[in-house]
């Protein structure tokens, strides 16, 4: 097998550049990359998949593909990596920390250049962080989406849940709703804690108070049960932690003999593909999946060897309230006069 | 580093079993696996992620995560692999054969035990097959879903599209529809060719004939345009190649000033999560994703070393017609009297 230095001399580049190309790493321009591969092949060097156009490899971990917002994250991140000439391996279902660790180790074993984790255990309160430190210790950049840990050097990119909850509550208040229920999943996760914290802060001065909260799970059945519970507790509007929950809530409200939006307003979260197709179409919060995915990929691939040391950065991106047919004037609100 | 034979003796198993465990391969029971890992660790052997509980690794390639049926495939296959103690790496967007080859090579490089491809280039007419042969030549079982190639030794699992199209057309005929339009994507793919072939065979004796077909793409916009086109060509029912297309068709029909299902019936394909949530809910075809995924995983992981040689098998699974609100009696049909 030809030595790197021979290929480097023949191609007129440094040995380090040849090494980067043959290992499929970033930071080499496309013309140089092609020229190195041509020379290497002419000299009889076996050029593996990493070098042969596949570009750098990035591991992406999402919780599941059942909730379409996680699918959207995987899809957008993969699309951004593809645009930049990188390949993506997606893993899912890291329900336990031990399994998350196995997946991260798999990624390292496959030779990934960076790892992006969406709503992983970093979103959990008091989760162990050692398996993340193994990644950063290996010099592999770690990008963590929707969840922040104080004592771990990684890049954090999150949706501004505070802004989202405030926008939803202002919208419902403008419509005259005075009793709003919040339906969310596991209260030990970062997005739920954030939503509950802001919900309680904003509604502190509302009357009556406290406003009702239902802790359930982020599923259709969870939304269905939460909606029935919150309606029975007097809510005239239900704010759900996901669109899947909101779809269940639409049915839950109907099962109580009530109409959406005439009797009860329902708000989703995520703006998945079908959110505009439900009956009525869902008012929801559109996470800035595209711009966060772009930033995550930029951070993951970095600009070259020097910038690739793990360092703590934190970015928060504002989501957008999308008003559709599932919200309307509350039963007693002055706003009902305007509609 | 301790030799396999030493670990085998200390653990009281064969050297082959130690090798299987340390390489994370299937065919070793859980107690034996744990005991071998314990012994190996005590003897100072580095136990990698493959062995340390992650189990065997399987690569799964799907076209994209935009179409929720591909997401469902990835999700179900991963769930089945998880149930059997295996780990999954998902890759997507192999738009060109060259890129598909890169991904398969990546999988081999990562040490996968088997590869499952959903609607890959094997679904294309006249696609090159050499990159698949590289996989089977490496002794790695290859399972190909929804698409069949005559001259490649792999395991093929497909949805029975013929049964699906016949069931849909019988349903529409029973409702009195005499002019049915078919809306499908790229005509060079196997599922489209199958659907068109059966559609033409079944409607050969219908009057008027031929029944209209719109070739577009498997997207919301594709369905929207196809529906407008087919309605203008006199169709009173539109059969779509996917639920996403059908969602677009609902809107396309409305844009022509017509109602679903009173004026025009619309049928989807896939039965994705939100197919029951549209207005009206979609009549559609439910692919047997669960049972095909289960069979694919069983084939991929095999029963042990002997059964793992690539050999040609072919299984076809029947899908199910799910009748909801988007289909109703045709304008002239006798069936309209019954409703």
């Amino acid at each position: 097998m030809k030595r790197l230095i021979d290929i480097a001399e023949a191609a007129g580049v440094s040995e380090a550049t040849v090494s980067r190309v043959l290992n499929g790493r970033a930071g080499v321009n496309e013309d140089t990359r092609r020229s190195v591969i041509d020379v290497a092949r002419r000299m009889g060097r076996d050029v593996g998949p990493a070098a042969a156009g596949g570009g750098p490899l990035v591991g992406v971990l999402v919780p599941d593909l059942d909730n379409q917002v996680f699918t959207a994250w995987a899809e957008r991140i993969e699309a951004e990596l593809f645009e930049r000439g990188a390949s993506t391996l997606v893993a899912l279902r890291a329900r336990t920390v031990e399994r998350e660790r196995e997946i991260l180790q798999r990624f390292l074993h496959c030779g990934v250049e960076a790892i992006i984790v969406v709503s992983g255990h970093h979103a959990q309160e008091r989760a162990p962080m050692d398996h993340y430190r193994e990644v950063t210790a290996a010099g592999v950049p770690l990008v963590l989406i929707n969840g922040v840990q104080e004592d771990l050097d990684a890049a954090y990119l999150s949706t501004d849940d505070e802004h989202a909850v405030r926008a939803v509550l202002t919208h419902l208040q403008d419509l005259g709703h005075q009793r709003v229920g919040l339906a969310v999943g596991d209260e030990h996760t970062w997005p739920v804690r954030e939503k509950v914290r802001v919900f309680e802060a904003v509604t502190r001065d509302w009357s009556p108070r406290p406003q009702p909260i239902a802790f359930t799970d982020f599923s259709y059945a969870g939304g269905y049960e939460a909606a029935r519970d919150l309606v029975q507790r007097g809510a005239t509007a239900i704010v759900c932690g996901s669109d899947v929950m909101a779809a269940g809530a639409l049915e839950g409200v109907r099962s109580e003999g009530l109409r959406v939006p005439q009797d009860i307003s329902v708000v989703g979260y995520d703006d998945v593909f079908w959110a505009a197709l439900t009956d009525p179409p869902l008012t929801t919060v559109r996470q800035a999946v595209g711009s966060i995915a772009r930033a995550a990929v930029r951070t993951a691939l970095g600009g070259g060897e020097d910038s690739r040391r793990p360092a703590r950065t934190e970015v928060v991106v504002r989501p957008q309230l999308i008003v559709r047919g599932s919200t309307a004037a509350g039963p007693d609100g002055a706003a009902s006069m305007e509609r």
Side-chain angles (χ1 to χ4, degrees), chain A:
Chain A
M1 186 186 282
K2 278 287 172 186
R3 289 179 310 157
L4 296 190
I5 185 76
D6 300 327
I7 298 168
E9 275 175 14
V13 299
S14 73
E15 199 177 335
T17 298
V18 174
S19 167
R20 290 189 71 73
V21 170
L22 295 185
N23 290 302
R25 298 195 157 261
V28 181
N29 82 47
E30 187 57 20
D31 287 347
T32 307
R33 198 181 65 75
R34 283 182 194 281
S35 140
V36 168
I37 287 171
D38 283 351
V39 169
R41 280 187 170 142
R42 271 206 310 279
M43 296 175 77
R45 171 95 183 201
D46 180 38
V47 174
L57 186 67
V58 174
V60 177
L61 174 57
V62 294
D64 62 62
L65 298 176
D66 273 344
N67 183 341
Q68 217 182 353
V69 76
F70 295 136
T71 306
W73 279 113
E75 200 281 326
R76 284 316 306 157
I77 292 169
E78 195 276 344
E80 290 292 338
L81 285 164
F82 182 77
E83 290 263 312
R84 285 166 158 257
S87 292
T88 307
L89 289 177
V90 179
L92 41 148
R93 204 184 303 262
R95 293 224 178 116
T96 64
V97 171
E98 184 50 35
R99 184 147 180 99
E100 188 166 85
R101 178 176 177 276
E102 281 161 28
I103 290 170
L104 298 179
Q105 289 292 319
R106 294 267 193 207
F107 282 154
L108 294 179
H109 178 75
C110 292
V112 297
E113 175 121 348
I115 294 175
I116 300 173
V117 181
V118 180
S119 301
H121 284 88
H122 68 281
Q124 302 281 336
E125 215 173 359
R126 292 183 296 272
M129 291 294 121
D130 283 350
H131 62 303
Y132 291 127
R133 288 198 190 92
E134 290 171 2
V135 172
T136 54
V140 170
L142 183 63
V143 181
L144 302 174
I145 293 178
N146 284 351
V148 176
Q149 294 286 341
E150 291 308 317
D151 53 347
L152 176 72
D153 279 347
Y156 298 92
L157 297 160
S158 306
T159 298
D160 188 342
D161 270 327
E162 167 148 7
H163 177 79
V165 173
R166 286 186 184 278
V168 168
L169 290 173
T170 300
H171 170 61
L172 293 173
Q173 217 172 7
D174 287 350
L175 290 171
H177 290 278
Q178 293 173 8
R179 193 142 184 92
V180 174
L182 179 67
V184 283
D186 183 352
E187 63 182 308
H188 297 294
T189 64
W190 179 86
V192 171
R193 288 204 314 277
E194 268 296 285
K195 288 190 182 80
V196 169
R197 183 185 68 74
V198 180
F199 181 80
E200 288 178 339
V202 172
T203 61
R204 185 164 299 136
D205 306 325
W206 290 24
S207 169
R209 73 181 178 94
Q211 300 284 315
I213 300 180
F215 292 102
T216 161
D217 60 82
F218 283 107
S219 70
Y220 185 89
Y224 179 91
E225 289 304 333
R228 290 167 57 100
D229 174 33
L230 293 168
V231 164
Q232 283 160 15
R233 288 157 75 185
T236 61
I238 296 163
V239 178
C240 298
S242 75
D243 289 336
V244 176
M245 289 182 86
L250 292 178
E251 196 56 36
V253 168
R254 280 186 202 115
S255 77
E256 294 283 312
L258 297 165
R259 295 162 304 163
V260 179
Q262 296 89 339
D263 303 314
I264 307 285
S265 288
V266 171
V267 181
Y269 198 94
D270 293 337
D271 195 33
V272 296
F273 164 74
W274 48 264
L277 303 178
T278 56
D279 175 23
L282 286 175
T283 293
T284 188
V285 174
R286 182 181 293 163
Q287 290 195 56
V289 174
S291 53
I292 295 181
R294 201 151 41 243
V297 166
R298 200 165 46 229
T299 306
L301 295 181
E305 202 70 55
D306 288 345
S307 63
R308 302 184 58 68
R309 267 183 242 110
R312 188 183 176 84
T313 60
E314 209 176 314
V315 175
V316 174
V317 182
R318 284 202 169 177
Q320 187 187 356
L321 178 68
I322 309 289
V323 177
R324 297 200 184 95
S326 68
T327 47
D332 315 314
S336 61
M337 306 299 284
E338 298 166 24
R339 292 172 75 91

PDB file of all heavy atoms in Angstrom, chain A residues 178-179 203-209 211:
ATOM      1  N   GLN A 178     -60.187  32.547  30.036  1.00  0.00           N
ATOM      2  CA  GLN A 178     -59.712  32.852  31.387  1.00  0.00           C
ATOM      3  C   GLN A 178     -59.262  31.605  32.128  1.00  0.00           C
ATOM      4  O   GLN A 178     -58.624  31.685  33.167  1.00  0.00           O
ATOM      5  CB  GLN A 178     -60.828  33.548  32.177  1.00  0.00           C
ATOM      6  CG  GLN A 178     -61.132  34.929  31.601  1.00  0.00           C
ATOM      7  CD  GLN A 178     -62.334  35.579  32.247  1.00  0.00           C
ATOM      8  OE1 GLN A 178     -62.873  35.093  33.227  1.00  0.00           O
ATOM      9  NE2 GLN A 178     -62.754  36.707  31.678  1.00  0.00           N
ATOM     10  N   ARG A 179     -59.657  30.448  31.601  1.00  0.00           N
ATOM     11  CA  ARG A 179     -59.251  29.198  32.249  1.00  0.00           C
ATOM     12  C   ARG A 179     -58.625  28.316  31.170  1.00  0.00           C
ATOM     13  O   ARG A 179     -59.309  27.742  30.324  1.00  0.00           O
ATOM     14  CB  ARG A 179     -60.452  28.519  32.899  1.00  0.00           C
ATOM     15  CG  ARG A 179     -60.057  27.414  33.838  1.00  0.00           C
ATOM     16  CD  ARG A 179     -60.936  27.344  35.092  1.00  0.00           C
ATOM     17  NE  ARG A 179     -60.459  26.310  36.009  1.00  0.00           N
ATOM     18  CZ  ARG A 179     -59.593  26.540  37.001  1.00  0.00           C
ATOM     19  NH1 ARG A 179     -59.143  27.765  37.219  1.00  0.00           N
ATOM     20  NH2 ARG A 179     -59.208  25.545  37.790  1.00  0.00           N
ATOM     21  N   THR A 203     -49.427  32.795  34.195  1.00  0.00           N
ATOM     22  CA  THR A 203     -50.814  32.742  34.675  1.00  0.00           C
ATOM     23  C   THR A 203     -50.927  33.046  36.175  1.00  0.00           C
ATOM     24  O   THR A 203     -52.011  32.936  36.743  1.00  0.00           O
ATOM     25  CB  THR A 203     -51.446  31.360  34.395  1.00  0.00           C
ATOM     26  OG1 THR A 203     -50.691  30.357  35.079  1.00  0.00           O
ATOM     27  CG2 THR A 203     -51.481  31.055  32.903  1.00  0.00           C
ATOM     28  N   ARG A 204     -49.797  33.433  36.771  1.00  0.00           N
ATOM     29  CA  ARG A 204     -49.794  33.679  38.218  1.00  0.00           C
ATOM     30  C   ARG A 204     -50.848  34.724  38.617  1.00  0.00           C
ATOM     31  O   ARG A 204     -51.494  34.597  39.653  1.00  0.00           O
ATOM     32  CB  ARG A 204     -48.386  34.119  38.666  1.00  0.00           C
ATOM     33  CG  ARG A 204     -48.258  34.280  40.174  1.00  0.00           C
ATOM     34  CD  ARG A 204     -46.804  34.328  40.582  1.00  0.00           C
ATOM     35  NE  ARG A 204     -46.102  33.094  40.221  1.00  0.00           N
ATOM     36  CZ  ARG A 204     -44.882  33.051  39.663  1.00  0.00           C
ATOM     37  NH1 ARG A 204     -44.229  34.168  39.412  1.00  0.00           N
ATOM     38  NH2 ARG A 204     -44.338  31.895  39.373  1.00  0.00           N
ATOM     39  N   ASP A 205     -50.997  35.734  37.766  1.00  0.00           N
ATOM     40  CA  ASP A 205     -51.913  36.828  38.120  1.00  0.00           C
ATOM     41  C   ASP A 205     -53.314  36.629  37.554  1.00  0.00           C
ATOM     42  O   ASP A 205     -54.167  37.497  37.689  1.00  0.00           O
ATOM     43  CB  ASP A 205     -51.347  38.159  37.598  1.00  0.00           C
ATOM     44  CG  ASP A 205     -49.939  38.377  38.085  1.00  0.00           C
ATOM     45  OD1 ASP A 205     -49.642  37.969  39.227  1.00  0.00           O
ATOM     46  OD2 ASP A 205     -49.131  38.935  37.312  1.00  0.00           O
ATOM     47  N   TRP A 206     -53.508  35.493  36.856  1.00  0.00           N
ATOM     48  CA  TRP A 206     -54.837  35.254  36.302  1.00  0.00           C
ATOM     49  C   TRP A 206     -55.797  34.870  37.431  1.00  0.00           C
ATOM     50  O   TRP A 206     -55.388  34.385  38.487  1.00  0.00           O
ATOM     51  CB  TRP A 206     -54.818  34.111  35.286  1.00  0.00           C
ATOM     52  CG  TRP A 206     -54.117  34.446  34.003  1.00  0.00           C
ATOM     53  CD1 TRP A 206     -53.159  35.389  33.807  1.00  0.00           C
ATOM     54  CD2 TRP A 206     -54.319  33.796  32.750  1.00  0.00           C
ATOM     55  NE1 TRP A 206     -52.736  35.377  32.500  1.00  0.00           N
ATOM     56  CE2 TRP A 206     -53.437  34.406  31.827  1.00  0.00           C
ATOM     57  CE3 TRP A 206     -55.134  32.773  32.303  1.00  0.00           C
ATOM     58  CZ2 TRP A 206     -53.372  34.021  30.492  1.00  0.00           C
ATOM     59  CZ3 TRP A 206     -55.063  32.385  30.973  1.00  0.00           C
ATOM     60  CH2 TRP A 206     -54.192  33.009  30.078  1.00  0.00           C
ATOM     61  N   SER A 207     -57.077  35.078  37.160  1.00  0.00           N
ATOM     62  CA  SER A 207     -58.084  34.639  38.111  1.00  0.00           C
ATOM     63  C   SER A 207     -59.109  33.840  37.322  1.00  0.00           C
ATOM     64  O   SER A 207     -59.555  34.301  36.267  1.00  0.00           O
ATOM     65  CB  SER A 207     -58.746  35.864  38.749  1.00  0.00           C
ATOM     66  OG  SER A 207     -59.890  35.448  39.474  1.00  0.00           O
ATOM     67  N   PRO A 208     -59.534  32.643  37.709  1.00  0.00           N
ATOM     68  CA  PRO A 208     -59.055  31.937  38.907  1.00  0.00           C
ATOM     69  C   PRO A 208     -57.657  31.370  38.707  1.00  0.00           C
ATOM     70  O   PRO A 208     -57.195  31.214  37.590  1.00  0.00           O
ATOM     71  CB  PRO A 208     -60.064  30.794  39.031  1.00  0.00           C
ATOM     72  CG  PRO A 208     -60.496  30.506  37.627  1.00  0.00           C
ATOM     73  CD  PRO A 208     -60.516  31.840  36.949  1.00  0.00           C
ATOM     74  N   ARG A 209     -57.001  31.039  39.776  1.00  0.00           N
ATOM     75  CA  ARG A 209     -55.712  30.376  39.688  1.00  0.00           C
ATOM     76  C   ARG A 209     -55.610  29.353  40.807  1.00  0.00           C
ATOM     77  O   ARG A 209     -56.342  29.477  41.798  1.00  0.00           O
ATOM     78  CB  ARG A 209     -54.565  31.394  39.736  1.00  0.00           C
ATOM     79  CG  ARG A 209     -54.341  31.991  41.119  1.00  0.00           C
ATOM     80  CD  ARG A 209     -53.208  33.003  41.098  1.00  0.00           C
ATOM     81  NE  ARG A 209     -53.067  33.590  42.421  1.00  0.00           N
ATOM     82  CZ  ARG A 209     -52.205  33.117  43.330  1.00  0.00           C
ATOM     83  NH1 ARG A 209     -51.458  32.086  43.076  1.00  0.00           N
ATOM     84  NH2 ARG A 209     -52.126  33.685  44.516  1.00  0.00           N
ATOM     85  N   GLN A 211     -54.068  27.743  37.233  1.00  0.00           N
ATOM     86  CA  GLN A 211     -54.646  27.152  36.031  1.00  0.00           C
ATOM     87  C   GLN A 211     -54.278  25.664  36.000  1.00  0.00           C
ATOM     88  O   GLN A 211     -53.189  25.285  36.437  1.00  0.00           O
ATOM     89  CB  GLN A 211     -54.094  27.870  34.795  1.00  0.00           C
ATOM     90  CG  GLN A 211     -54.407  29.366  34.777  1.00  0.00           C
ATOM     91  CD  GLN A 211     -55.857  29.660  34.406  1.00  0.00           C
ATOM     92  OE1 GLN A 211     -56.372  29.075  33.479  1.00  0.00           O
ATOM     93  NE2 GLN A 211     -56.500  30.558  35.146  1.00  0.00           N
TER      94      GLN A 211
END
